[in-house]
Amino acid sequence: MAKIDKAIKISQKNLLGIQDLSIKDINVILDEAKTFISLNKSKNKKLDILRGKTQINLFFEPSTRTQSSFELAGKRLGADVMSMNITNSAIKKGETLVDTAMTLNAMHPDIIVIRHQDSGACNLLSQKVNCAVLNAGDGRREHPTQALLDALTIIDRKKKIQGLRIAICGDILHSRVARSNIYLLNMLGAEVNIIAPTNLMPKDIDRLGVNVFSDMKKGLKDCDIVMMLRLQNERMSSSFLSSNREYYEYYGLTPDKLNFAKEDALIMHPGPMNRGIEIDTKLADDINKSVIKEQVELGVAVRMACLKIFCE
Ligand code: CP
């Protein structure tokens, strides 16, 4: 039976955010993820690295990509995976996150994966349980495994991140994906251009070490990567947009705007996409430019690496 490689050392017990990681930690996770890419394409995908380990997935917000890839990742590594049905749990009877955490902790899980609508919920949970906690997205704060899989996708295609000019465009204000990517891409030496209408730009953007644009064509100039973001209508308490049509005209990725980026620029999107609002549907599906499907594919490898590394 394969054993967890204790030589893989990481500075943190939990994966709560990119901000907590060192450059060495990030490279350890990315290097480990690379080892799973070919396995995930093979006929026999099952390993027993996490045999005997229990993984609990706690998703308080909807998810397709993150939840299914964490579940597949755990199963492919041989863990016993339990995805809690939140809508049918005692949370619906008013049980708090802390009581839920302490209840699950009593069952001795080895790792908990949590997505929650409140920024910092995963940090709170991590203080109440003995096992490692992986953040699968908390409020507007961080989505570390998304940034890691985005980095792996860029490295897979461009062979590096250092020195690339990377545009992140759209609803930056509500985006934990943007925040985690800004931290990670800056750490790995990219130049990051942030493009958004002023009312979807975070107030603290000037402190994040990025170039700030409200004109999409200027922000896309000579970029190697164009990362589009979803408009997060569920996090908007008031109307941020005059119309979807106007948003598409100024901030939707269209062939004419993409022409301002480098000729070999790649298009990314964390999903789910609002086609025809933040991205032209043909561009999203253009296999010569879009790596959106590859992001999903490499997400499984990244989550396998995270489970292996953080599941002691
Ligand atoms: N990118 C992402 O987090 O997608 P899901 O909401 O489908 O998990």
Side-chain angles (χ1 to χ4, degrees), residues 21-130:
L21 301 177
S22 65
I23 294 175
K24 182 169 168 273
D25 292 335
I26 290 168
N27 285 321
V28 165
I29 296 170
L30 294 177
D31 286 345
E32 190 60 34
K34 285 175 195 165
T35 70
F36 294 118
I37 295 174
S38 57
L39 176 95
N40 285 332
K41 290 178 184 159
S42 69
K43 284 213 169 98
N44 185 0
K45 302 174 181 65
K46 190 86 172 174
L47 298 174
D48 61 2
I49 292 170
L50 295 186
R51 193 160 141 197
K53 302 287 182 185
T54 303
Q55 171 189 337
I56 296 179
N57 295 335
L58 267 179
F59 278 69
F60 291 84
E61 276 190 336
S63 169
T64 297
R65 281 145 281 266
T66 314
Q67 182 165 4
S68 54
S69 61
F70 262 120
E71 186 157 344
L72 281 178
K75 287 178 175 168
R76 286 183 186 174
L77 293 173
D80 295 314
V81 183
M82 192 275 279
S83 291
M84 244 182 83
N85 181 350
I86 300 291
T87 52
N88 217 10
S89 72
I91 287 156
K92 289 289 159 199
K93 300 177 193 167
E95 189 161 53
T96 64
L97 176 63
V98 169
D99 281 339
T100 304
M102 291 193 303
T103 302
L104 295 173
N105 191 51
M107 299 177 203
H108 303 291
D110 298 286
I111 199 152
I112 294 178
V113 178
I114 176 170
R115 166 170 289 191
H116 199 280
Q117 61 278 8
D118 294 339
S119 304
C122 54
N123 299 58
L124 176 66
L125 184 92
S126 72
Q127 290 159 20
K128 305 292 173 189
V129 298
N130 301 321

Side-chain angles (χ1 to χ4, degrees), residues 244-297:
N244 285 342
R245 212 172 73 179
E246 190 176 297
Y247 184 82
Y248 185 65
E249 188 180 331
Y250 289 101
Y251 294 100
L253 186 64
T254 51
D256 65 310
K257 294 192 199 93
L258 185 63
N259 279 340
F260 286 82
K262 283 190 182 159
E263 208 178 328
D264 62 349
L266 298 175
I267 300 167
M268 303 179 74
H269 193 302
M273 282 182 277
N274 295 306
R275 289 173 183 265
I277 297 176
E278 66 236 3
I279 188 164
D280 171 83
T281 196
K282 281 194 187 136
L283 279 183
D285 297 331
D286 183 341
I287 54 168
N288 297 313
K289 297 180 191 299
S290 167
V291 292
I292 295 169
K293 283 185 194 145
E294 192 173 334
Q295 287 174 267
V296 176
E297 180 187 341

Side-chain angles (χ1 to χ4, degrees), residues 134-161:
L134 302 189
N135 179 7
D138 64 324
R140 301 180 188 189
R141 200 184 70 91
E142 281 231 36
H143 192 349
T145 58
Q146 179 68 46
L148 287 160
L149 75 86
D150 290 339
L152 188 63
T153 307
I154 295 168
I155 292 167
D156 196 50
R157 288 298 191 105
K158 297 283 185 189
K159 308 302 169 206
K160 61 174 188 176
I161 287 182

